[in-house]
Amino acid sequence: ERAELMKDVVKSLKKLIEEGYLELAPPLDTLKTDEDEGENEFELDEMTAAITGSKRKLPSSTTDEHDNKKQKDDEDPSDDPAIVSLLRSDNSSKRLFPRGSVWRLNFQMFHDLMRAVALGRLVGERYGDKVAGAGYIVTAALRLAAIREHSPRYAAQMSIMSEEDKQNHIEERRKFSPDDIMPYLPPTILNNFQNKAGGARLNLSSAIVSLSHFTWPPVVMEVEEAKGHPRGGVFEIAVRQLVDHLRGRVLHKVVLDHHGLIAARICAILETKGHLESDALAESAMIPAKETREILHRLYRDNYIDLFNLQKTKSYNPKDIVYLWHVSKDRMFKTVCDNACRAFTNLRLRTQHETEVGKEWIERAKEAGASDENDHEEDKMNYNKFCMGLERLVNATLQLDETIMVMMDF
């Protein structure tokens, strides 16, 4: 039973490494001195060579020392014979698990996967009623692209390529065919495509082609025409356009929550039409000019919009100046990010403060039932209020963290 458990652990670890969820950590150099600098450098090169499949010729002076060190490591009594035999059972395991290697989470891979889920949710919300499984298709395609980018298998292939071939490979890894993303679709969605007339490839290809016809926002670009293609066509997800659309929705939501519906409408009009005077803007937004000017000054004070002064004459005369309002996406983006980071810091500090204040309630809840005092209804009510307040703070922190991730990490 223990042998089967170890086999499953090694198998799972191998799968995580092959799909890029784990990455090889460089050796710790906190205690490195000048004498062992060459040895540590060699160890890192050995691990890299073991994964990529490349070989590096060692200097003759270090070959004997390395052989002796390797022989001592092979005789390490702390090694589990069962695990060692599993790792030495095939060449792929030897290549993935070089001796002395340390693995860590590949956070960039998880960021790419979260982006895939977020963009898939966006597409499903926008076009899910028009194309069945639209969001799942986008998520599967972006997940495939993330695995291609972070998997050691693809890194090994790139290690033997020329610079031109590497650039072409980087450009090609976001492209996919229906057959490529089928393993990454949920079973229910894949069964729906398979049960329709024509089979999974034809129906999936038709769904992707339908997604390529949408323009607000664009979802898929048809690289090679699907009609008559032996693989059902070659496509690419419009990641940049989808991310820009998602960030635009975040900016609109922030202005809507902080300044109201009319302010959000004014920003949308300025973003569409460019520079406008306050009277022309009031006419476009269909609101009184006085209210428009008040909202414009509030938005300008909070750094959401810009003001451009156009002088008609060389002499400075306020009557001869035309005041044009406009939206600078970079300025609004920076303002929202700064406010979000400031609010995130305040939420964390508030959560720490509430936790310190509520230590007594937490301790008394752990000792509940030990005495009649802890069973008092007022104590239970106060503890529930404390838990509800703390939960609201934690939920707000998580939501704000997702917003910051969309704005800065995607």
Side-chain angles (χ1 to χ4, degrees):
E1 182 179 354
R2 184 171 181 272
E4 292 295 329
L5 180 60
M6 288 183 177
K7 186 180 297 184
D8 293 338
V9 170
V10 172
K11 183 179 179 181
S12 300
L13 182 62
K14 183 178 178 182
K15 184 177 180 181
L16 288 173
I17 294 173
E18 289 177 342
E19 294 188 357
Y21 294 97
L22 301 177
E23 64 179 356
L24 185 65
L28 297 175
D29 56 354
T30 54
L31 302 178
K32 183 175 66 174
T33 60
D34 295 338
E35 296 179 358
D36 58 0
E37 181 177 0
E39 181 180 353
N40 289 337
E41 181 182 358
F42 166 72
E43 290 175 356
L44 178 59
D45 292 342
E46 181 192 21
M47 296 177 190
T48 305
I51 295 178
T52 59
S54 60
K55 295 183 178 180
R56 176 177 177 267
K57 186 175 181 181
L58 298 176
S60 57
S61 59
T62 60
T63 303
D64 296 337
E65 296 178 3
H66 174 256
D67 291 341
N68 295 333
K69 184 177 182 297
K70 185 176 181 181
Q71 184 177 0
K72 293 180 180 178
D73 290 340
D74 290 339
E75 298 174 356
D76 190 351
S78 63
D79 290 342
D80 193 317
I83 297 179
V84 172
S85 63
L86 286 174
L87 296 180
R88 294 179 177 178
S89 58
D90 59 310
N91 292 328
S92 61
S93 296
K94 293 179 182 179
R95 185 171 62 253
L96 281 177
F97 302 105
R99 175 169 291 277
S101 59
V102 177
W103 299 92
R104 64 184 180 188
L105 286 177
N106 187 353
F107 291 102
Q108 186 59 46
M109 176 66 174
F110 284 93
H111 276 164
D112 292 346
L113 291 180
M114 286 187 285
R115 181 182 66 180
V117 173
L119 296 183
R121 189 185 307 163
L122 171 67
V123 173
E125 179 185 333
R126 291 282 292 147
Y127 306 121
D129 56 336
K130 301 179 179 65
V131 179
Y136 297 105
I137 293 173
V138 172
T139 300
L142 293 179
R143 182 183 173 191
L144 172 64
I147 291 176
R148 286 177 174 176
E149 180 177 355
H150 300 287
S151 174
R153 181 171 68 254
Y154 293 95
Q157 295 176 1
M158 291 186 64
S159 64
I160 58 176
M161 293 181 182
S162 61
E163 291 299 327
E164 183 178 357
D165 292 338
K166 287 181 180 179
Q167 187 63 32
N168 294 334
H169 180 78
I170 293 175
E171 295 175 357
E172 292 290 330
R173 66 188 176 195
R174 292 190 179 274
K175 299 177 183 178
F176 64 94
S177 65
D179 292 339
D180 295 333
I181 65 173
M182 282 185 190
Y184 304 100
L185 289 172
T188 54
I189 302 298
L190 184 58
N191 290 334
N192 291 339
F193 286 121
Q194 290 174 344
N195 295 333
K196 294 181 180 179
R201 176 189 293 174
L202 179 62
N203 291 294
L204 183 55
S205 177
S206 300
I208 300 174
V209 171
S210 299
L211 287 175
S212 67
H213 296 158
F214 299 119
T215 58
W216 187 253
V219 179
V220 177
M221 296 176 287
E222 194 172 2
V223 180
E224 297 181 15
E225 189 176 357
K227 187 177 180 180
H229 198 281
R231 300 170 57 197
V234 177
F235 308 91
E236 183 177 356
I237 301 296
V239 177
R240 183 177 59 82
Q241 292 87 338
L242 288 175
V243 171
D244 289 343
H245 184 82
L246 183 59
R247 287 175 175 171
R249 292 183 61 173
V250 172
L251 296 178
H252 178 81
K253 181 64 175 175
V254 169
V255 177
L256 178 65
D257 292 340
H258 289 180
H259 295 279
L261 179 61
I262 297 177
R265 190 193 311 166
I266 288 175
C267 289
I269 294 173
L270 288 176
E271 185 178 350
T272 304
K273 294 188 175 183
H275 294 70
L276 287 176
E277 293 185 77
S278 59
D279 294 338
L281 184 57
E283 183 178 354
S284 299
M286 296 182 292
I287 54 177
K290 181 180 179 181
E291 185 178 355
T292 301
R293 286 192 291 269
E294 292 176 355
I295 295 175
L296 286 172
H297 282 85
R298 286 203 303 268
L299 292 172
Y300 179 73
R301 178 196 61 194
D302 293 341
N303 292 325
Y304 287 108
I305 61 176
D306 287 333
L307 177 62
F308 178 71
N309 300 332
L310 181 61
Q311 297 184 8
K312 295 182 180 179
T313 60
K314 294 182 179 180
S315 60
Y316 181 79
N317 189 350
K319 295 182 179 180
D320 297 332
I321 298 177
V322 178
Y323 298 96
L324 299 176
W325 301 92
H326 67 102
V327 169
S328 173
K329 292 296 291 290
D330 294 338
R331 179 174 182 175
M332 181 182 287
F333 182 86
K334 183 178 184 303
T335 300
V336 171
C337 289
D338 291 345
N339 293 341
C341 293
R342 189 180 302 111
F344 184 82
T345 302
N346 292 336
L347 281 173
R348 293 293 299 272
L349 293 176
R350 182 67 182 181
T351 303
Q352 294 177 5
H353 172 73
E354 291 294 332
T355 305
E356 291 292 331
V357 171
K359 273 185 177 181
E360 180 182 356
W361 299 112
I362 297 175
E363 295 297 330
R364 295 177 70 174
K366 291 179 180 179
E367 300 173 359
S371 63
D372 295 337
E373 181 183 1
N374 292 323
D375 292 335
H376 198 275
E377 291 297 330
E378 185 177 355
D379 290 342
K380 293 181 180 179
M381 185 176 61
N382 291 333
Y383 177 71
N384 290 333
K385 288 182 180 179
F386 165 74
C387 291
M388 290 176 60
L390 197 61
E391 184 179 0
R392 284 197 296 268
L393 288 173
V394 172
N395 290 336
T397 304
L398 292 176
Q399 292 177 3
L400 197 56
D401 182 63
E402 291 180 0
T403 301
I404 295 174
M405 182 173 60
V406 170
M407 300 299 290
M408 305 183 70
D409 294 333
F410 282 7

